[in-house]
Amino acid sequence: MSSQDEQLPAAAPEAAGSDEGMTWWYRWLCRIAGVIGGVSCAFAGLWNCVTINPLNIAAGVWMMLNAFVLILCEAPFCCQFIEFAGAVSARAERLRAWQKAAFYCG
């Protein structure tokens, strides 16, 4: 048995397990909700930076960084100028839905 034959059976269960029984429209609905959440978080962070209080400015910058990570994971086509956007998106795609939710809420 060659090394290529050993790798093929291992790849098949991973592809079957990534579906998680979710329909295509539900996956796209979750992705669209993530993009809308990222855009709203970026807008709120920008709005929060319009102040003279340093804690508000720090919180606004933190919100914009969180929005960037969320958009990078859910919509890598928005970040085409970043070299590692495809790798981050591919890694995020391998996560289960509950793992993504825990990461985004954390």
Side-chain angles (χ1 to χ4, degrees):
M1 202 178 234
S2 69
S3 64
Q4 186 178 17
D5 293 337
E6 293 173 3
Q7 290 175 356
L8 289 178
E14 182 181 325
S18 66
D19 190 23
E20 296 182 35
M22 292 178 12
T23 58
W24 65 271
W25 61 268
Y26 187 70
R27 266 184 286 166
W28 276 100
L29 182 69
C30 292
R31 183 166 285 222
I32 290 170
V35 170
I36 291 172
V39 169
S40 66
C41 187
F43 178 73
L46 185 64
W47 183 257
N48 203 21
C49 286
V50 182
T51 185
I52 58 171
N53 189 354
L55 289 177
N56 285 354
I57 294 172
V61 169
W62 183 253
M63 287 175 69
M64 288 190 288
L65 286 174
N66 285 335
F68 174 72
V69 170
L70 183 62
I71 290 174
L72 185 66
C73 290
E74 291 296 327
F77 59 86
C78 294
C79 305
Q80 292 179 357
F81 55 90
I82 299 175
E83 293 178 15
F84 61 88
V88 171
S89 176
R91 188 174 189 118
E93 275 299 313
R94 289 191 302 243
L95 294 175
R96 293 190 175 123
W98 68 269
Q99 290 171 333
K100 279 186 184 180
F103 176 69
Y104 294 157
C105 291

